[in-house]
Amino acid sequence: MPIIPAQPYAFEFPAGKLALIVIDMQRDFVEPGGFGAALGNDVSLLTAIIPTVAELIAGFRKAGLPVIHTREGHRADLSDCPPSKRARGKGSLTIGDSGPMGRILVDGEPGNDIIPELAPIAGEAVILKPGKGAFYATPLGDILRRAGVNHLVFAGVTTEVCVQTTMREANDRGYECLLAEDATESYFPEFKAATLAMIRAQGGIVGWTTPVKTILPHLA
Ligand code: TIU
């Protein structure tokens, strides 16, 4: 069993049975004019992790391990967007409105794409998700079952919203979850720090955390 040093203790996984889930590294969250900005956030913090996420993705690709990307987005008719989500924030722009990168948080619009630096390659699954968790109303569980994978590494944004929600969903489905500490980010540094702490508290109640450079040598 490969063993990755981590907190609160080492993360073990069966050789060759590990997948990377990259959450919502899309223009709507990391560039001005998208959903993140429409909610009132300063998006500049999130761009800093792009090179580290790219390194992690490259490591999984080189090892021949699955890389799965997610995008938060809604159908053009917004039939999969609860009115409560659309109304939240009382911003001048909301989901479905026309912004500088097209309709905000709508599938197929330029702003909903994964950023070019982290573009998926042929053969990698891209999960379109209407919620914060990547298991809700998506085929993610089926994809992982078919791949025979029960151990997951997580990266992406934002740490305390879609990343943490997905890790908690994964927990309840029996997956072992490792969060790549420097390949995830929040608009709020204190929320990121609190999320890392709460994930690994109580003996790893949600999972494990460790930096990308600690993960990479154990993938091959
Ligand atoms: N607002 C915020 O921090 N996040 C989201 O709305 N979605 C994701 O985290 N992807």
Side-chain angles (χ1 to χ4, degrees):
M1 289 266 258
I3 298 177
I4 301 176
Q7 293 189 62
Y9 54 90
F11 179 84
E12 295 184 36
F13 65 95
K17 294 287 179 189
L18 185 69
L20 173 63
I21 316 274
V22 184
I23 303 280
D24 299 359
M25 288 300 293
Q26 49 191 122
R27 301 181 66 198
D28 258 320
F29 291 104
V30 306
E31 292 185 15
F35 182 56
L39 293 175
N41 298 300
D42 172 4
V43 297
S44 63
L45 265 180
L46 274 53
T47 54
I49 63 162
I50 295 170
T52 317
V53 180
E55 249 186 288
L56 184 60
I57 291 173
F60 271 77
R61 284 177 183 159
K62 194 168 163 219
L65 298 173
V67 177
I68 298 168
H69 308 257
T70 72
R71 268 195 299 123
E72 183 174 351
H74 295 280
R75 293 185 197 129
D77 64 4
L78 303 184
S79 57
D80 59 354
C81 180
S84 60
K85 184 178 181 184
R86 194 156 189 262
R88 198 73 57 81
K90 297 187 171 180
S92 56
L93 283 179
T94 187
I95 298 168
D97 290 348
S98 288
M101 298 187 292
R103 294 181 67 204
I104 290 174
L105 218 67
V106 170
D107 181 29
E109 299 289 331
N112 205 242
D113 271 348
I114 292 173
I115 56 172
E117 298 92 323
L118 304 178
I121 62 172
E124 291 178 353
V126 181
I127 308 279
L128 179 65
K129 64 188 198 36
K132 297 174 178 70
F135 287 88
Y136 169 68
T138 78
L140 179 56
D142 291 330
I143 289 170
L144 293 172
R145 252 189 307 281
R146 278 200 295 273
V149 170
N150 200 49
H151 291 70
L152 306 174
V153 173
F154 285 88
V157 297
T158 59
T159 315
E160 79 282 12
V161 183
C162 293
V163 175
Q164 180 171 214
T165 300
T166 303
M167 289 181 72
R168 289 173 181 274
E169 284 186 324
N171 259 258
D172 288 344
R173 289 163 175 78
Y175 295 94
E176 303 283 29
C177 300
L178 173 64
L179 176 58
E181 294 171 6
D182 47 353
T184 183
E185 194 48 89
S186 167
Y187 302 117
F188 308 92
E190 67 275 28
F191 289 176
K192 175 180 175 177
T195 302
L196 296 184
M198 70 177 78
I199 282 169
R200 59 196 179 210
Q202 304 179 67
I205 187 78
V206 175
W208 289 257
T209 79
T210 207
V212 167
K213 67 173 185 331
T214 307
I215 298 173
L216 293 176
H218 302 279
L219 297 180

